[in-house]
Amino acid sequence: MTKDLVINTTSHETRVALLENGHIAELYIERTRERGIVGNIYKGKVLRVLPGMQAAFVDIGLEKAAFLYVADVLGQMQALERYIDEGENEAGLPEEDGRETTALPPIEELLKEGQEVLVQVSKEPIGTKGARITAHISLPGRHLVYMPTVDHVGISRRIENEEEKERLRSLIEEIRSPGSGFIVRTAAEGKNAEDLSADMEFLAGLWNGICALRERKGAPCLIYSDLDVTSKVLRDILTEDVRRIVVDSPREYEKIVRFIETFMPKLTYVIELYEGEEPVFDAFGLEVEIDRALGRKVWLKSGGYIIIEQTEALTAIDVNTGRFVGKHNLEDTILKTNLEAVREVAYQLRLRNIGGLIIIDFIDMEKEAHREKVFVALEEALKGDRAKTNILKISELGLVEMTRKRVRENLTRTLCVPCPYCEGKGYVKSRTTMVYEIFRELRREIRNLSGSQVTLLVHPSIASLICDEERWEIDDLEQAYGKQIAITARFDFHQEQFEILCN
């Protein structure tokens, strides 16, 4: 599989696309006014302690108070049990394994209102929720993640060779300072002591600077800001299998060259400064793929399609045969559609960065062997996803329940806002519904209106229907109440808006 990084930079926005075999697999967007905060370290002040939720709200200087759960305020070894499963997430921070910890002390014994705490953002504010924070600081480097509050060495689960795991563990144990904790990242596979030691020294110096700044500044305040999106992607994604880096900004090009020379001097990459007249994302066909990723319906090559519906609680994905009729029998047609949908679902989850609870409604399969084949294909398709996933077996109804770790906003929330016309519902009342609703309101009010004329202000499409197909109802009302009803079209009205005025 060939991989490329394509970077588009302007004064207001940076977009980084990871391409796999020429198609966009992951998209990272950072806007100058909306820079992400995952990885940032703050000195915060506890606002409220909530024993009923075993959590606290902490003021870190943002618009919304951050959320600190009891497990994120624990002692060193308890934190280790919760946060180190020998892995890392897509932000380069330690990854939760979902296991229960032993007898947690009450949150009220750990925190008091007004107490100052050093915390790190582990999840961006999403929707109406504030940022998720932890008191256990993690500083990601190129090869290592430094955890100053934990005395332990962990190895990324993505390093599968057991001999390599033991070699790296022994190497870290030899060169680390007493009491310091490290997670060895996937990028460290095959690296020597010199590479790892350089990472250690850099991260230890960074932590010392953070500690010094914490003593000097008052809460709430920002203590440390993580790298910008380009540097973060280079640090976390750039490996030997990335073929080239294409960037359209001379300034960003120079920054990338310096970053690689500083942190990855032994690696050689093809770095191209794109100077074509056509925008770089257009030249690689990425704008079309991004627009496609914002739609509800995604067509499959066979003629089938999937529908992706995102709600506050979960994401539902529905698989349909569409125009695909198959060649042999119904079971084979269903199996082929489901297998094709598996690849597209895995692709869309990564590209759209959909996290949380996900329900996939595959087309019903009668044969257990077919259900197992689709399940195995889904597991295989998700192996390339850097976000942690957990999948349950396919039910007899063809439903798959799964979770995907959510670290940042999904693509739709990043690029879109709820429709102001339908207020995010995705639909409005039909013209006929509105006309009959207006007639009911007219009957309620017309008898109490003074004067001989009533003016009805409505949207032009509603006015057209009333004056044409439904004119007889207006005639009946005029005869019944002895009033003239004038219909006036208002182009500035919403389709569901109307007013009844007396003259």
Side-chain angles (χ1 to χ4, degrees):
M1 179 187 296
T2 59
K3 293 184 179 182
D4 301 286
L5 281 176
V6 179
I7 303 169
N8 166 231
T9 302
T10 63
S11 59
H12 55 272
E13 180 185 62
T14 297
R15 298 185 297 171
V16 183
L18 172 65
L19 274 58
E20 293 181 353
N21 293 331
H23 295 283
I24 184 170
E26 295 178 17
L27 179 66
Y28 299 85
I29 300 173
E30 183 174 87
R31 290 169 177 165
T32 306
R33 293 184 298 175
E34 304 169 4
R35 187 170 174 182
I37 62 171
V38 167
N40 286 3
I41 298 173
Y42 295 85
K43 187 175 183 180
K45 181 175 289 187
V46 178
L47 294 178
R48 293 179 64 196
V49 178
L50 307 173
M53 295 179 64
Q54 283 301 292
F57 286 108
V58 180
D59 180 11
I60 59 174
L62 302 180
E63 182 180 352
K64 298 173 185 174
F67 184 80
L68 182 61
Y69 182 58
V70 62
D72 299 322
V73 200
L74 301 175
Q76 292 184 354
M77 292 314 295
Q78 287 171 304
L80 178 65
E81 290 175 5
R82 184 161 182 87
Y83 280 93
I84 300 183
D85 186 24
E86 298 188 332
E88 63 203 43
N89 63 28
E90 62 181 37
L93 302 177
E95 186 170 83
E96 300 177 54
D97 64 358
R99 294 178 296 179
E100 293 295 325
T101 53
T102 57
L104 304 178
I107 187 80
E108 57 268 30
E109 293 182 9
L110 300 171
L111 295 174
K112 304 295 180 186
E113 291 186 9
Q115 180 179 341
E116 294 185 350
V117 288
L118 189 70
V119 294
Q120 184 173 39
V121 177
S122 57
K123 286 186 180 179
E124 297 275 4
I126 296 176
T128 59
K129 300 176 182 177
R132 171 89 180 258
I133 55 177
T134 174
H136 303 291
I137 309 301
S138 303
L139 299 175
R142 170 63 179 165
H143 304 114
L144 304 171
V145 176
Y146 180 35
M147 301 183 70
T149 64
V150 178
D151 182 8
H152 184 81
V153 175
I155 310 292
S156 169
R157 68 163 65 87
R158 295 186 183 275
I159 298 177
E160 298 178 351
N161 187 293
E162 291 300 324
E163 290 184 6
E164 179 63 7
K165 281 186 176 183
E166 286 305 314
R167 184 189 75 85
L168 290 168
R169 190 186 303 276
S170 300
L171 206 54
I172 296 299
E173 292 286 6
E174 288 177 13
I175 61 179
R176 73 178 177 127
S177 302
S180 59
F182 290 93
I183 294 178
V184 180
R185 305 190 68 181
T186 312
E189 191 168 9
K191 303 302 177 184
N192 56 34
E194 183 182 353
D195 296 323
L196 302 181
S197 182
D199 230 16
M200 276 188 187
E201 290 178 11
F202 170 77
L203 294 172
L206 185 60
W207 173 243
N208 291 335
I210 289 169
C211 291
L213 200 56
R214 174 181 59 180
E215 298 302 320
R216 297 199 305 268
K217 302 187 76 171
C221 68
L222 174 66
I223 298 293
Y224 167 77
S225 180
D226 203 4
L227 302 173
D228 61 39
V229 66
T230 303
S231 300
K232 196 179 293 185
V233 168
L234 292 176
R235 181 193 68 192
D236 298 339
I237 292 181
L238 197 58
T239 54
E240 287 85 347
D241 58 351
V242 174
R243 183 181 59 173
R244 62 173 173 163
I245 304 167
V246 182
V247 58
D248 63 355
S249 163
R251 183 177 177 183
E252 201 76 2
Y253 173 85
E254 294 296 334
K255 187 175 77 173
I256 291 170
V257 170
R258 289 196 303 270
F259 187 92
I260 291 177
E261 287 176 349
T262 303
F263 296 101
M264 312 166 201
K266 295 183 180 179
L267 299 180
T268 303
Y269 295 100
V270 176
I271 308 174
E272 295 181 10
L273 175 60
Y274 179 80
E275 297 179 307
E277 293 183 5
E278 188 180 19
V280 65
F281 267 41
D282 288 346
F284 282 84
L286 304 185
E287 298 290 7
V288 174
E289 293 194 48
I290 294 170
D291 286 341
R292 181 170 173 257
L294 297 176
R296 287 177 65 248
K297 180 182 285 189
V298 179
W299 286 98
L300 306 176
K301 290 181 179 179
S302 65
Y305 63 89
I306 62 174
I307 298 289
I308 302 175
E309 291 280 5
Q310 297 183 56
T311 70
E312 191 72 24
L314 56 83
T315 298
I317 302 176
D318 186 32
V319 181
N320 297 276
T321 53
R323 299 190 293 260
F324 182 50
V325 295
K327 294 182 179 179
H328 301 290
N329 56 59
L330 180 60
E331 272 296 307
D332 284 345
T333 301
I334 290 172
L335 177 60
K336 289 178 180 178
T337 304
N338 283 338
L339 288 174
E340 187 180 8
V342 159
R343 294 188 293 272
E344 189 62 38
V345 166
Y347 170 74
Q348 292 294 332
L349 290 180
R350 283 183 70 191
L351 177 55
R352 299 179 188 225
N353 195 36
I354 295 174
L357 178 61
I358 300 162
I359 307 296
I360 308 172
D361 183 10
F362 287 106
I363 306 169
D364 292 349
M365 295 169 283
E366 294 183 1
K367 297 180 180 179
E368 175 63 30
H370 286 184
R371 290 198 292 270
E372 182 64 23
K373 190 171 185 178
V374 171
F375 177 76
V376 171
L378 180 60
E379 283 190 315
E380 187 65 28
L382 289 169
K383 280 185 178 180
D385 194 343
R386 297 182 340 109
K388 183 181 179 182
T389 56
N390 182 38
I391 318 168
L392 300 184
K393 288 282 188 178
I394 300 181
S395 71
E396 292 185 3
L397 297 176
L399 296 178
V400 168
E401 298 173 63
M402 65 170 286
T403 59
R404 183 175 185 271
K405 188 167 178 63
R406 176 163 43 197
V407 175
R408 53 193 169 88
E409 287 276 29
N410 61 54
L411 190 64
T412 302
R413 284 186 180 272
T414 300
L415 298 180
C416 305
V417 295
C419 171
Y421 200 85
C422 70
E423 298 178 337
K425 293 181 295 186
Y427 52 84
V428 293
K429 292 179 182 178
S430 70
R431 291 194 310 151
T432 302
T433 299
M434 281 308 305
V435 167
Y436 294 162
E437 187 175 312
I438 290 168
F439 288 162
R440 288 192 294 272
E441 189 64 20
L442 267 174
R443 289 187 178 278
R444 279 193 289 266
E445 294 192 16
I446 195 169
R447 68 184 67 194
N448 299 320
L449 296 176
S450 59
S452 61
Q453 182 171 326
V454 175
T455 301
L456 181 60
L457 306 181
V458 294
H459 185 273
S461 67
I462 303 299
S464 174
L465 186 60
I466 291 176
C467 294
D468 187 12
E469 299 174 28
E470 304 294 341
R471 181 68 211 184
W472 62 271
E473 178 70 14
I474 295 295
D475 294 339
D476 285 352
L477 286 168
E478 288 179 334
Q479 291 180 6
Y481 295 99
K483 296 179 186 291
Q484 183 180 358
I485 301 174
I487 313 298
T488 302
R490 289 286 298 270
F491 287 90
D492 59 332
F493 269 33
H494 188 282
Q495 184 167 306
E496 296 180 356
Q497 183 181 357
F498 65 91
E499 288 184 26
I500 301 172
L501 305 174
C502 63
N503 297 331

